[in-house]
Amino acid sequence: MPRQKKNKTPAVVKSEPLSAIAWKDKGNEAFALKDYPAAIEAYTKAIEIDSAHAVLYSNRSAAYLENDQYEEAFDDAAKTLELDIQWPKAYFRRGKALQALKHWEEAEAAFQQGLRLQASNTELQTALIELQQAKTDYFDNSDNARFIKLITWLREGGAYFPKLELRHYGENYRGVHSTAKIEEDEHVLRVPLSHIVTLEMAKSSAIGQTIQDHRLPLLSPKHCFLSCLLLSERFNPDSFFKPYYDVLPSSYPTMPVFFSDDELSWLQGSPFLNSVLQKKEDIRKDYEMICEVCEEMKQYSLAEFTWARMTVASRIFGITVKGVKTDGFVPLADMLNHKRPRQTSWTFNAELQCFVIESLTTLAKGDPVLDSYGRKCNSRFFLNYGFLAEDNESNEVSIHLDLNPEDPNIRLKRVLLADLPTQRQFNIPKDLSEKSVQELFAYLRFVTMVDPDIKQIPILLQTCSEELTLENREGEPVTKRVLRVGQIPPLSIRNEMMVLEFLKQKCIELLARYPHTLEEDMALLQNPDLTTNQRNCVLMRAGEKTILHFYINLSDVASNMFQQSAKALQKKVAKKFNKSGPYDEYIQKVVLDLVLRADPLHLLHR
């Protein structure tokens, strides 16, 4: 009898893991079925296997778009372009994502970049046409509807602005124009106190009370109070101020605190970059401090708090109500754009109990109605408002100075400062008569002071000092006489030449930190392809470099004059430096005076 064969257990066949192409195909199948989450998952699996495949990112970008995940769609479109910058479809994806995010101008630029690569691409052509229509529909319907509610709310509350209208220039960019001729001294706008969001309201809110109860040492307390009120009230359907909150910009893409790392890289080497990073850090510290004591605050993200802080920084007015100084949001008044010299003035009118804007000049029908945000350097305009004023005479550059640790007289100098900080920051413009510039020169005279100028200290203590009450190590009050280094006058030719050389070398050092020269920046500003933020960054750093070159040139000019005789210098000053040139006053009052003081015989025959 033949032996029966035993049944063998069938071998387990292990399935091979899917390839990137297989996952892509699965993603395409899910996309065709409009199962976008499944498509995103499949494309993600494919990317995990092959992260250098541009098509995978492009396909996932499309799925993200259909799934209303627009930021993710934008990121994938950007990654696609990193891998293949010549692919028109990637620009299509990028444009669609930007359009969905309401970044109209950047979306249009993306579509146009794609068309430059492939002018016959009907998908991009159609997208560009649809974008233009979408922009029209958005501004005509969405914004106008909200602004109509604001105008109605203001008028019903007793506000007065019969000759004003709002015009849209772009996303989150609008301005106020006249609808009829406005005469000089005419009231352009009146907003009653009942429709102003004040600091007192913010302090009396729940979060405001908590902040005060805990006596938080906030870096910007007033701004924090108003920011917290804005966050807590912004989406409250029952808020009296809802018509105003609804028209506030949803984002501030031109403010540096919201820049991407790539955009911030355009500020490389600029002292202003440190100001931006410090601003972000200060906002974060205040936010975390409030969250520690206020549970309600934790529902808002740091990004939302930052938005609120910059809304406050760019829109509030300082006013006096019933003898009390306060700050507040003034609807419609905060939509006037900046211009100098100013053409309007504003105040809180105690008799009318209204915020009043008055025209300082005649405005024709259709003219923009503008306000002056004050005489500010571009660093403040850029940081707090997101714009720069070209040819701004108030531009400044930040310079940090400290005592030289190798200075043989450093102990004496520290004693003269009574242990006050030796490191000083000076924000200096191209104006030698400005207080900050005079204080810079005075401090440099102290920093560079050596023998025999040290012998003048007893005289300086009589003319440039003050008594301050400070705490000793035990915390006890101690009165000390402190040298007021910001008032030290010119001491000698040698000292002033050291000051000029020190300043020159400092300026050269700061210029070396930039990756581009001033000449390269000026050429770059002629490039029409720069984005608004890129151009503003170039303007910002070019303004700083212009000031640094101004002081390098001053050092060269003045140092050369110190080498001349008193008689020759007098003739030169009388001929070339007797008008209103930028260096004239310094040459006359410092350089010439020191040279004459060093020539007793010449002084005798003056």
Side-chain angles (χ1 to χ4, degrees):
M1 186 176 176
R3 295 177 63 184
Q4 292 182 339
K5 292 182 179 180
K6 294 183 179 180
N7 292 329
K8 291 184 179 180
T9 303
V12 177
V13 179
K14 293 184 178 180
S15 60
E16 291 294 324
L18 294 179
S19 65
I21 298 297
W23 278 116
K24 178 175 80 74
D25 291 339
K26 279 185 172 291
N28 292 345
E29 292 171 8
F31 191 96
L33 295 171
K34 298 185 178 181
D35 186 355
Y36 302 119
I40 291 168
E41 183 178 2
Y43 293 138
T44 302
K45 294 279 189 184
I47 289 170
E48 289 173 354
I49 298 170
D50 183 0
S51 61
H53 202 318
V55 172
L56 300 178
Y57 289 98
S58 178
N59 288 3
R60 190 171 69 174
S61 177
Y64 276 136
L65 277 170
E66 296 295 338
N67 206 46
D68 298 333
Q69 294 177 255
Y70 303 124
E71 292 184 352
E72 290 84 352
F74 172 81
D75 290 340
D76 272 2
K79 184 63 178 178
T80 305
L81 288 169
E82 284 183 24
L83 297 170
D84 189 353
I85 197 170
Q86 299 296 318
W87 195 9
K89 186 175 285 292
Y91 289 102
F92 172 80
R93 302 269 189 253
R94 178 187 178 95
K96 281 295 185 181
L98 287 165
Q99 179 178 338
L101 292 167
K102 302 293 187 297
H103 293 182
W104 305 108
E105 306 306 324
E106 293 173 54
E108 184 174 351
F111 293 144
Q112 289 175 340
Q113 283 177 289
L115 285 169
R116 280 197 286 269
L117 293 173
Q118 191 178 63
S120 61
N121 189 305
T122 56
E123 189 176 43
L124 282 164
Q125 291 172 349
T126 302
L128 193 56
I129 294 170
E130 290 177 345
L131 171 68
Q132 297 295 343
Q133 185 60 51
K135 284 174 65 176
T136 301
D137 292 342
Y138 178 80
F139 291 119
D140 283 354
N141 297 330
S142 177
D143 265 11
N144 277 356
R146 291 198 298 271
F147 278 103
I148 288 170
K149 289 181 181 178
L150 172 68
I151 297 305
T152 302
W153 173 71
L154 284 170
R155 284 177 174 158
E156 289 177 350
Y160 172 87
F161 46 95
K163 298 182 181 180
L164 300 183
E165 69 173 1
L166 198 70
R167 293 188 187 178
H168 301 284
Y169 311 136
E171 185 189 9
N172 288 331
Y173 184 30
R174 52 250 185 164
V176 176
H177 286 251
S178 60
T179 59
K181 182 180 180 181
I182 295 174
E183 301 291 348
E184 185 177 348
D185 299 328
E186 183 177 346
H187 281 194
V188 175
L189 171 68
R190 293 198 294 264
V191 179
L193 179 59
S194 59
H195 285 56
I196 299 174
V197 183
T198 65
L199 177 61
E200 285 65 38
M201 293 168 55
K203 287 183 174 181
S204 64
S205 68
I207 298 179
Q209 289 287 348
T210 301
I211 292 174
Q212 291 177 90
D213 291 344
H214 286 81
R215 298 182 179 180
L216 297 181
L218 298 169
L219 297 171
S220 299
K222 293 191 297 185
H223 285 196
C224 285
F225 282 120
L226 285 163
S227 298
C228 292
L229 176 67
L230 181 56
L231 287 174
S232 62
E233 285 284 292
R234 186 184 179 198
F235 297 116
N236 176 6
D238 300 321
S239 172
F240 174 72
F241 291 94
K242 180 173 174 56
Y244 171 64
Y245 295 142
D246 283 349
V247 302
L248 289 173
S250 58
S251 63
Y252 300 101
T254 62
M255 288 186 178
V257 295
F258 298 107
F259 279 8
S260 65
D261 289 342
D262 178 67
E263 288 171 320
L264 287 176
S265 70
W266 285 71
L267 291 169
Q268 183 181 344
S270 167
F272 176 69
L273 178 58
N274 295 329
S275 299
V276 176
L277 300 178
Q278 187 61 56
K279 182 80 168 182
K280 294 176 72 171
E281 178 65 11
D282 289 349
I283 291 173
R284 182 191 64 78
K285 287 179 179 178
D286 279 346
Y287 170 75
E288 292 180 351
M289 209 181 303
I290 297 170
C291 285
E292 285 181 5
V293 301
C294 185
E295 194 67 29
E296 182 183 347
M297 193 62 192
K298 294 179 181 178
Q299 66 183 298
Y300 307 111
S301 67
L302 174 59
E304 289 173 310
F305 183 74
T306 303
W307 169 86
R309 276 287 296 272
M310 297 316 296
T311 298
V312 173
S314 61
R315 307 187 84 82
I316 61 169
F317 292 84
I319 56 179
T320 299
V321 180
K322 297 179 180 178
V324 177
K325 291 184 178 180
T326 186
D327 296 271
F329 292 108
V330 184
L332 196 56
D334 60 2
M335 295 178 191
L336 272 65
N337 292 319
H338 167 77
K339 182 183 179 181
R340 277 183 60 85
R342 62 180 186 164
Q343 56 180 219
T344 59
S345 65
W346 52 263
T347 188
F348 185 83
N349 188 300
E351 182 180 352
L352 297 175
Q353 285 293 287
C354 285
F355 180 94
V356 176
I357 293 182
E358 186 173 279
S359 176
L360 298 176
T361 186
T362 301
L363 299 173
K365 178 181 178 180
D367 281 353
V369 182
L370 304 168
D371 178 31
S372 171
Y373 298 176
R375 183 172 174 265
K376 296 180 174 70
C377 61
N378 271 343
S379 60
R380 293 181 64 188
F381 282 136
F382 200 12
L383 188 63
N384 294 320
Y385 301 99
F387 73 86
L388 288 87
E390 296 202 34
D391 302 319
N392 186 353
E393 294 180 354
S394 299
N395 266 353
E396 296 176 347
V397 67
S398 180
I399 292 184
H400 294 262
L401 301 174
D402 201 350
L403 296 179
N404 180 1
E406 304 300 321
D407 186 346
N409 298 300
I410 191 169
R411 290 183 63 185
L412 171 62
K413 292 179 180 180
R414 283 176 173 162
V415 169
L416 291 170
L417 291 175
D419 297 324
L420 292 174
T422 59
Q423 188 178 75
R424 308 287 172 94
Q425 176 181 330
F426 300 89
N427 298 318
I428 58 170
K430 278 199 318 180
D431 185 348
L432 297 173
S433 66
E434 282 290 321
K435 182 180 178 182
S436 60
V437 177
Q438 294 180 2
E439 290 178 344
L440 167 80
F441 272 81
Y443 190 61
L444 279 176
R445 289 171 189 133
F446 178 72
V447 169
T448 59
M449 186 187 295
V450 295
D451 291 327
D453 296 313
I454 289 289
K455 296 176 181 178
Q456 296 190 47
I457 286 177
I459 299 174
L460 292 175
L461 284 172
Q462 292 179 4
T463 59
C464 304
S465 67
E466 63 180 338
E467 287 190 349
L468 291 181
T469 301
L470 306 170
E471 288 187 355
N472 60 19
R473 294 179 180 178
E474 288 73 35
E476 300 170 338
V478 177
T479 300
K480 291 186 177 182
R481 179 161 291 279
V482 179
L483 182 65
R484 301 178 70 174
V485 292
Q487 295 182 357
I488 294 177
L491 301 174
S492 66
I493 290 177
R494 181 173 66 172
N495 178 255
E496 200 69 16
M497 289 184 69
M498 292 174 69
V499 165
L500 291 167
E501 182 61 22
F502 190 108
L503 181 57
K504 176 181 178 179
Q505 294 305 319
K506 187 68 178 180
C507 291
I508 291 173
E509 173 195 325
L510 291 174
L511 284 169
R513 296 179 185 179
Y514 297 96
H516 303 89
T517 65
L518 176 59
E519 291 73 22
E520 288 170 335
D521 282 349
M522 300 310 292
L524 193 56
L525 288 172
Q526 306 306 311
N527 184 351
D529 294 328
L530 290 180
T531 66
T532 297
N533 290 347
Q534 288 170 348
R535 190 172 193 280
N536 283 342
C537 287
V538 177
L539 272 174
M540 182 69 222
R541 68 196 198 199
E544 295 170 339
K545 294 171 191 175
T546 299
I547 298 172
L548 294 173
H549 280 289
F550 173 87
Y551 284 99
I552 290 173
N553 188 56
L554 168 66
S555 176
D556 291 340
V557 170
S559 296
N560 178 264
M561 289 184 170
F562 277 126
Q563 309 299 325
Q564 302 179 33
S565 68
K567 186 176 181 179
L569 184 58
Q570 267 193 316
K571 289 181 179 180
K572 187 171 187 177
V573 170
K575 185 176 180 181
K576 294 186 177 181
F577 296 92
N578 61 349
K579 297 181 181 178
S580 56
Y583 302 149
D584 289 8
E585 185 174 358
Y586 179 80
I587 297 299
Q588 291 175 4
K589 295 185 177 180
V590 177
V591 178
L592 180 58
D593 185 66
L594 284 173
V595 171
L596 292 176
R597 282 163 49 187
D599 187 347
L601 291 177
H602 194 81
L603 279 175
L604 188 64
H605 295 92
R606 284 181 69 180

